[in-house]
Amino acid sequence: MVRREKHKMILYHGSYTVIEKPRIITQEKGRDFGFGFYTTTIKAQAERWAIRTARLRSRRSDKNENAVVNVYEFDESLAKCLNSKSLPNADLEWLELVIKCRSDLDFRHGFDIVSGKIANDNVGETVQYVLAGIMRKEDAVERLRFEKINDQICFCTQKALEAISFKESYIVKSVNWRNF
C-alpha cells in the first residue's frame, strides 16, 4: 500500500548503496523507458531489486554488498509542470515505447517522467520475441494480459528528479533466497 499525503507519494529504489541524491543512469543496455532513475510504489519489488543488484555487484567485486532500499517522497504537485507520460496498462502503446527504448540507445522520447508497467523476466521474454520478429506486437499484448506486472516510475530528466526527495534507506535483512 502506498502511503500518501496530499500530493505526495512514497517511492522505493532498490540498490546496493544509499542514494541520497539520485541521478539519471545511462548505460549501454536499453531500459524499459530509456535512461533515467527508476523507482516503484511497491516496497517488496524494491527489496527484490535491491537483493538482485547486491548479488550481482558482490559477484563482480568479490565482496559482500548490502541490499539497500532507498525511500523517496515524490511531490506530485511539482510534477504537474513536467512532461509526464502514464502507461497504466501493458498495451500496444506501452509495448511500442519499451521496444523503442530497449532497441535504440539513441532514442529519446522527450518525457520528463514515465510511469507504467515493468518488463520483468517473463514480460521481458515476450518483448524479446517481438524484437526478434518471432511474435507480432498484437499477440504479445494479448499474452501480457495474463501476466501480473508490477509498476515503475522513471525520472528521465534532472528537472524531474527535483520532484523527489530522499527520506531514508534501510538494509534488507531477511532474505528468502528461494524467491530469487
Side-chain angles (χ1 to χ4, degrees), residues 74 78-84 112-113 155 157 159-161 163:
F74 173 37
L78 292 177
K80 290 187 190 302
C81 62
L82 300 174
N83 186 12
S84 299
D112 295 305
I113 300 172
F155 294 84
T157 64
K159 190 174 170 184
L161 286 176

Side-chain angles (χ1 to χ4, degrees), residues 47-65:
E47 290 177 350
R48 285 190 302 272
W49 190 249
I51 292 165
R52 183 178 182 181
T53 303
R55 288 178 75 194
L56 288 170
R57 180 80 178 193
S58 294
R59 285 185 199 142
R60 290 183 190 142
S61 68
D62 285 333
K63 74 175 202 173
N64 285 333
E65 298 285 355

Side-chain angles (χ1 to χ4, degrees), residues 16 19 21-26 36-38 155 158 161:
Y16 62 91
I19 304 172
K21 296 184 182 195
R23 61 183 175 83
I24 305 302
I25 299 170
T26 58
F37 184 75
Y38 283 78
F155 294 84
Q158 190 60 43
L161 286 176

